[in-house]
Amino acid sequence: MSQQRQFAAVDLATMEQEQRLSFIENKQRFRQRFNRFVLGATVPVLLLAAWQILGDRGVISTLLFPTPFRIFQAGIRLMQTGELFDNLQISLFRALSGFILGGALGLMLGVLVGLFRNTERTLDPTVQMIRMVPHLAIAPLFILWFGIGETAKILLIAKGAFFPLYINAFIGIRDVDNKLFDVTRVLGFSKWKQTIRLVLPAALPNILLGVRISLGVSWLGLVVAELMGSTEGIGYLMSDARQFSKTPVVFVGILIFATFGILSDLLVRSLERKWLSWRENYKG
């Protein structure tokens, strides 16, 4: 009985020790994140403070560079009238539709070209040729073919979203170690099983990198699409504000694009941390 009590006491002490270590680790992790946040926020906060002071004292033109407070007021006013949310809803729909369409096609073709040499020889030269055509050069053609409706805008965004995923999926598959293919042949994997169990997981870092770039390009494509012949969306809001010299509204539009761009990037990075944690050399 006495020995059992001793064992129970040892177990309790071990649990307390583990809890204490876990608490210390969490505290250190929180402190590191807080320090990282403070370091990252220092420069923007100083710049905003300097901008506000210089604007208030008339050193810089508030017509061209409205102060952060005036931009904030313009943003609040747009939210109160509902104008901001209505246009944001349209822009999000266009960006996501274009990204899903272009990204899915890019991933599919990138995998096919990466897996099969003949497909690469057939498709890749044409894809690379189209990749070199700038957005602004192809936009008039899209408008002629599809008008100024949603189709032309979504296709323009999809064109930008296509290539990062295509190229990164292709590179990721071609970079898979040949020794791993030998192992799967020894284990008797079929072509399908080899693709699902080896090729795609090994290419996943490149594919996720492609998703991040593709999302960024989708936001850039959205700006181009909405600045040409659009009557709704954040790009239209900015274009309309420019015509009436409402510079604070233009800055609000820029901040919205920047905010949603960084949020989408953070979302993919969190997926990276979750899906790539099995890799020994992953340091995300």
Side-chain angles (χ1 to χ4, degrees):
M1 188 66 182
S2 151
Q3 196 173 14
Q4 287 179 349
R5 284 183 180 171
Q6 285 179 354
F7 285 144
V10 169
D11 288 342
L12 187 62
T14 307
M15 285 176 62
E16 287 177 353
Q17 180 71 13
E18 287 176 353
Q19 285 177 352
R20 198 160 39 244
L21 286 173
S22 173
F23 175 75
I24 292 170
E25 283 177 4
N26 287 335
K27 193 176 174 182
Q28 285 177 341
R29 202 174 297 134
F30 173 78
R31 190 178 297 168
Q32 285 173 353
R33 286 180 182 173
F34 179 75
N35 288 340
R36 204 180 304 155
F37 172 77
V38 171
L39 281 174
T42 301
V43 174
V45 169
L46 288 175
L47 282 174
L48 285 174
W51 185 358
Q52 182 70 42
I53 292 168
L54 292 174
D56 287 341
R57 296 193 174 184
V59 178
I60 56 176
S61 166
T62 53
L63 183 64
L64 297 176
F65 296 97
T67 60
F69 185 65
R70 280 190 62 195
I71 296 169
F72 175 74
Q73 284 180 318
I76 294 293
R77 196 164 48 251
L78 287 172
M79 281 193 279
Q80 287 172 340
T81 58
E83 202 176 349
L84 184 64
F85 294 114
D86 292 343
N87 288 291
L88 182 59
Q89 213 172 359
I90 301 288
S91 292
L92 283 175
F93 170 76
R94 287 170 181 159
L96 285 176
S97 302
F99 167 72
I100 291 170
L101 178 63
L105 280 173
L107 179 61
M108 188 179 69
L109 284 184
V111 170
L112 285 175
V113 169
L115 286 175
F116 305 106
R117 295 277 180 189
N118 284 335
T119 313
E120 180 193 353
R121 294 187 190 107
T122 307
L123 288 180
D124 193 59
T126 308
V127 172
Q128 296 301 334
M129 188 176 64
I130 297 171
R131 185 170 70 89
M132 301 311 292
V133 180
H135 264 46
L136 288 173
I138 208 166
L141 198 58
F142 277 12
I143 291 172
L144 280 173
W145 284 347
F146 306 106
I148 56 171
E150 293 302 310
T151 308
K153 294 179 180 62
I154 290 172
L155 286 177
L156 197 63
I157 297 165
K159 177 191 171 293
F162 174 88
F163 295 104
L165 262 165
Y166 170 82
I167 292 170
N168 279 285
F170 170 72
I171 292 172
I173 290 171
R174 288 298 167 86
D175 280 349
V176 178
D177 195 340
N178 279 330
K179 291 176 185 171
L180 295 175
F181 281 101
D182 294 337
V183 173
T184 56
R185 285 189 201 103
V186 171
L187 293 173
F189 278 22
S190 64
K191 193 73 178 174
W192 172 253
K193 196 173 178 182
Q194 195 182 56
T195 304
I196 298 297
R197 302 287 298 276
L198 167 66
V199 175
L200 290 181
L204 194 58
N206 285 80
I207 291 173
L208 288 172
L209 175 64
V211 171
R212 287 176 64 186
I213 300 173
S214 190
L215 275 169
V217 176
S218 296
W219 285 108
L220 295 176
L222 176 69
V223 177
V224 176
E226 290 189 339
L227 286 176
M228 291 188 305
S230 183
T231 55
E232 295 171 300
I234 297 298
Y236 162 74
L237 194 69
M238 293 169 67
S239 177
D240 187 56
R242 178 183 56 82
Q243 288 182 7
F244 294 98
S245 299
K246 296 178 182 175
T247 321
V249 177
V250 177
F251 275 93
V252 171
I254 293 170
L255 285 174
I256 287 173
F257 282 125
T259 304
F260 277 88
I262 195 71
L263 285 178
S264 54
D265 192 65
L266 286 174
L267 176 66
V268 182
R269 289 187 70 177
S270 68
L271 292 177
E272 274 185 350
R273 276 194 291 274
K274 187 177 177 182
W275 292 345
L276 301 181
S277 57
W278 53 274
R279 300 178 76 224
E280 289 181 3
N281 58 348
Y282 178 66
K283 297 176 183 176

